[in-house]
Amino acid sequence: QVQLVESGGGLVQPGGSLRLSCAASGFTFSSYVMNWYRQVPGKERELVARITSGGVTTYADSVKGRFTISRDNAKNAVYLQMNSLKPEDTAVYYCNAIWRLMIHWGQGTQVTVSS
């Protein structure tokens, strides 16, 4: 059974940091491109960061220099380190795995940046 389980969300003040984790199971994690998306009510889900099976990373312009995606294939996990958080980073963050035509989603974790 394929599972992606996000954790690490919560409430943080502007300028603060959070680290999101996504634990994967039920598929060959090391082969997959892993992504973090986010969504706010009324808007489309947007890609925040991506890491390929080979470790190549890409970021949305809005988070470059502040967020870092990483993966640990031995632990079947992907992470999103978020620094210098802004109120506009408030969203539900989703973990996503893609390999060829296979796509898997987690249930999401809420991140709220507010004073």
Side-chain angles (χ1 to χ4, degrees):
Q1 180 183 1
V2 172
Q3 277 195 312
L4 291 172
V5 180
E6 300 98 333
S7 61
L11 174 64
V12 63
Q13 292 187 341
S17 298
L18 281 176
R19 188 190 192 215
L20 305 184
S21 299
C22 173
S25 61
F27 61 97
T28 309
F29 177 82
S30 60
S31 297
Y32 278 65
V33 173
M34 298 300 299
N35 305 294
W36 284 99
Y37 281 78
R38 66 186 181 187
Q39 189 171 25
V40 297
K43 291 191 175 181
E44 290 189 359
R45 197 169 290 189
E46 67 166 340
L47 178 63
V48 175
R50 167 171 292 161
I51 186 165
T52 69
S53 57
V56 176
T57 58
T58 54
Y59 298 92
D61 287 343
S62 59
V63 306
K64 279 181 183 176
R66 300 188 297 122
F67 290 12
T68 302
I69 189 171
S70 61
R71 66 190 297 161
D72 186 336
N73 289 338
K75 295 183 178 180
N76 285 358
V78 62
Y79 308 99
L80 187 67
Q81 178 67 44
M82 305 186 294
N83 299 328
S84 303
L85 282 161
K86 304 175 181 180
E88 51 264 42
D89 295 318
T90 296
V92 177
Y93 284 71
Y94 296 90
C95 179
N96 165 273
I98 297 177
W99 180 67
R100 297 186 180 179
L101 299 181
M102 304 296 291
I103 303 175
H104 309 303
W105 288 95
Q107 82 289 347
T109 185
Q110 176 70 47
V111 171
T112 303
V113 185
S114 175
S115 55

